[in-house]
C-alpha cells in the first residue's frame, strides 16, 4: 500500500482539522480603523491616516521619509524616474526576481541588465554585478529575495566606486536588518510592496523610503501628478507646483487611500511580533534540515541581524532522492502538508511575464536598442539551476504557527525521502 499522500496514502497533516495560519491576518482593530476612516469622510489625498502611516513607516525603517504609493511596482519606477534614469542608461537587476524589478526599468525607457545570483542565497551576485558595469550603468536594484539579503556591503562598495545609485527592492523584507540597519535604509531609496501576499498588506499598496531631502520632494511630486500635496489647491490654479531646477515635471497619480493606510498602520503594529515568530520558526526548521539528506537551508550571512521571510525557501538536491525531479518532490510535499509548495520565480531571460518585445507599437527605437532590451541575450546559469532543479518555496504563513508545525514540515520531507521509490 502507498504511504505518500500523492499516491493515495494518508497526508501527514489533516488541514481541515488543523489548518495553517490564515492570511491575510486581521482582527477587530482593523475593522475599527476602517470604520473610522469611513466615517471621517477623508478617504484619500494625503489624509491624516496616510500621513500618520508615512511617519510611522519612516520611523520603523530608520529613514527620514517614507511615502506610500499605489504598489511596489510604481515605487521602483518612481525611484528610477526621480533619480533621472532614462533613455541611454543601464540598470543592473538580478535575473531571479518578480518581473517588476526589471519591467520598471523598461517603463522609464532604460535598459535592464540581468545578472546572475548567488547559488546559496539566490540574491544578486556582486561579482556578476561588477562584470556587468559599463559607462552607461546608472543604478543597481538588489532584491532581498525570500529569506535572504543581498550582500549590501559589496554592492555599496561597487556603487561608490562607479558612482551608481542603489535602489533596494524590499518587497520581501519589511523589518529585516543588515548589520542592524533596516532593509530600505541602506541604498539611496527603498521600495516596498503591500500586495496581498506580502508581509504587510492592504490588498495593494507600496512605499518608498529615503533619507535624501531632494529625492523625497521629487518622489512626493511624482506620485501626485507633479504637485506637492500641501499645495494641491494652489496647484490646481497653476501655482505652487513642484519644480525641478525650474521645470515642472509631468507625472501620474500613484496615491493610496486612507483606508489602505489605516490597515497598514495596524499591520505595522503586528509586524515585529510576526517577524519574530517567523524568524524563530525558520531558524528551528533549518536546524532540523541538518538531519535530512538532500535538503539545504539557505545560507544565512552573519551580517543579517534580523531576517524577514516573504517566501520561505530551501534548496533541493535530487541526487539524494535517487534523481527525483524537484517538481514531483514539491507536488508530493504539498499533498503531505496541505499548503502550496512552489518553485522560485522564473529567470527573467525566459519569463512569460517579462517580454519587452511585445510592445513594438509603443516606442520607435533603434535596432540596437531593440537588441539591448532582449532578455534572451543574458546568460543566467545559476538562476536557471535554482528555478529548474533546486527551489522549494513556502508562503510565509507556514512560519506563523508553532514549533510543532516545523516538526511536521521536516517530517513530511523525511517521509518523501523514506518512500521515494513510490515516485520513481
Ligand atoms: C511583489 C513584488 C514587487 C511588486 O510589488 P506589487 O505591489 O505587486 O506591484 C516588486 N518586486 C518584488 C521582488 C516583489 O516580490
Amino acid at each position: 500500500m502507498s504511504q505518500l499522500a500523492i499516491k493515495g496514502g494518508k497526508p501527514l497533516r489533516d488541514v481541515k482539522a488543523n489548518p495553517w495560519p490564515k492570511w491575510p491576518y486581521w482582527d477587530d482593530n482593523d475593522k475599527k480603523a476602517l470604520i473610522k476612516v469611513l466615517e471621517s469622510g477623508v478617504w484619500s489625498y494625503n489624509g491624516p491616516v496616510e500621513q500618520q502611516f508615512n511617519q510611522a513607516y519612516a520611523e520603523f525603517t530608520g529613514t527620514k521619509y517614507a511615502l506610500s504609493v499605489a504598489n511596489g511596482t510604481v515605487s521602483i519606477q518612481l525611484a528610477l524616474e526621480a533619480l533621472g534614469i532614462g533613455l541611454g542608461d543601464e540598470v543592473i537587476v538580478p535575473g531571479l526576481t518578480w518581473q517588476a524589478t526589471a519591467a520598471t526599468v523598461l517603463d522609464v525607457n532604460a535598459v535592464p541588465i540581468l545578472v546572475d545570483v548567488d547559488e546559496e542565497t539566490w540574491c544578486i551576485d556582486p561579482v556578476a554585478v561588477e562584470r556587468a558595469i559599463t559607462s552607461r550603468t546608472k543604478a543597481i536594484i538588489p532584491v532581498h529575495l525570500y529569506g535572504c539579503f543581498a550582500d549590501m556591503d559589496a554592492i555599496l562598495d561597487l556603487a561608490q566606486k562607479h558612482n551608481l545609485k542603489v535602489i533596494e527592492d524590499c518587497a520581501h523584507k519589511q523589518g529585516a536588518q543588515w548589520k542592524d540597519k533596516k532593509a530600505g535604509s541602506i541604498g539611496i531609496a527603498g521600495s516596498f510592496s503591500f500586495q496581498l501576499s506580502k508581509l504587510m498588506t492592504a490588498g495593494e499598496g507600496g512605499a518608498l523610503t529615503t533619507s535624501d531631502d531632494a529625492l523625497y520632494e521629487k518622489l512626493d511630486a511624482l506620485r501626485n501628478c507633479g504637485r506637492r500635496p500641501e499645495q494641491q489647491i494652489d496647484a490646481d490654479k497653476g501655482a505652487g507646483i513642484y519644480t525641478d531646477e525650474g521645470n515642472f515635471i509631468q507625472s501620474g497619480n500613484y496615491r493610496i487611500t486612507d483606508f489602505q493606510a489605516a490597515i497598514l498602520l495596524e499591520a505595522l503594529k503586528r509586524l515585529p511580533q510576526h517577524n519574530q515568530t517567523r524568524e524563530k520558526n525558520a531558524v528551528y526548521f533549518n536546524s532540523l534540515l541538518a538531519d535530512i539528506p538532500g535538503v539545504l537551508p539557505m545560507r544565512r550571512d552573519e551580517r543579517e541581524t534580523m531576517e524577514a521571510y516573504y517566501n520561505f525557501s530551501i534548496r533541493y538536491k535530487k541526487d539524494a532522492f535517487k534523481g527525483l525531479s524537484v517538481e514531483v518532490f514539491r507536488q508530493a510535499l504539498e499533498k503531505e502538508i496541505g499548503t502550496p509548495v512552489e518553485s522560485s520565480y522564473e529567470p527573467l531571460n525566459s519569463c512569460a511575464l517579462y517580454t519587452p518585445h511585445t510592445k513594438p507599437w509603443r516606442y520607435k527605437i533603434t535596432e540596437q536598442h531593440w537588441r539591448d532590451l532582449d532578455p534572451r541575450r543574458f546568460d543566467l546559469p545559476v538562476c536557471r539551476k535554482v528555478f529548474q532543479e533546486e527551489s522549494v518555496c513556502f508562503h510565509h504563513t507556514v512560519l506563523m504557527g508553532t514549533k510543532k508545525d516545523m516538526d511536521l514540515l521536516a517530517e513530511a520531507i523525511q517521509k518523501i525521502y523514506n518512500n521515494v521509490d513510490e515516485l520513481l
Side-chain angles (χ1 to χ4, degrees), residues 41-145:
V42 185
W43 291 358
S44 67
Y45 242 81
N46 211 31
V49 188
E50 185 185 350
Q51 289 184 43
Q52 204 187 331
F53 173 70
N54 286 345
Q55 203 172 350
Y57 203 65
E59 262 164 44
F60 175 75
T61 312
T63 50
K64 204 160 163 190
Y65 306 104
L67 268 175
S68 40
V69 292
N71 56 57
T73 302
V74 296
S75 49
I76 306 173
Q77 184 196 321
L78 296 183
L80 290 163
E81 258 185 86
L83 292 167
I85 292 163
L87 184 65
D89 298 334
E90 293 177 352
V91 177
I92 298 175
V93 303
L96 199 75
T97 178
W98 175 237
Q99 55 92 274
T101 316
T104 48
V105 177
L106 288 176
D107 287 337
V108 299
N109 213 9
V111 177
I113 302 294
L114 308 179
V115 303
D116 219 342
V117 296
D118 182 303
E119 185 165 27
E120 297 181 328
T121 65
W122 305 350
C123 292
I124 197 164
D125 176 1
V127 176
V129 172
E130 185 158 31
R131 270 202 302 267
I133 293 171
T134 71
S135 58
R136 302 203 297 170
T137 310
K138 289 284 155 44
I140 310 168
I141 313 181
V143 180
H144 306 310
L145 198 82

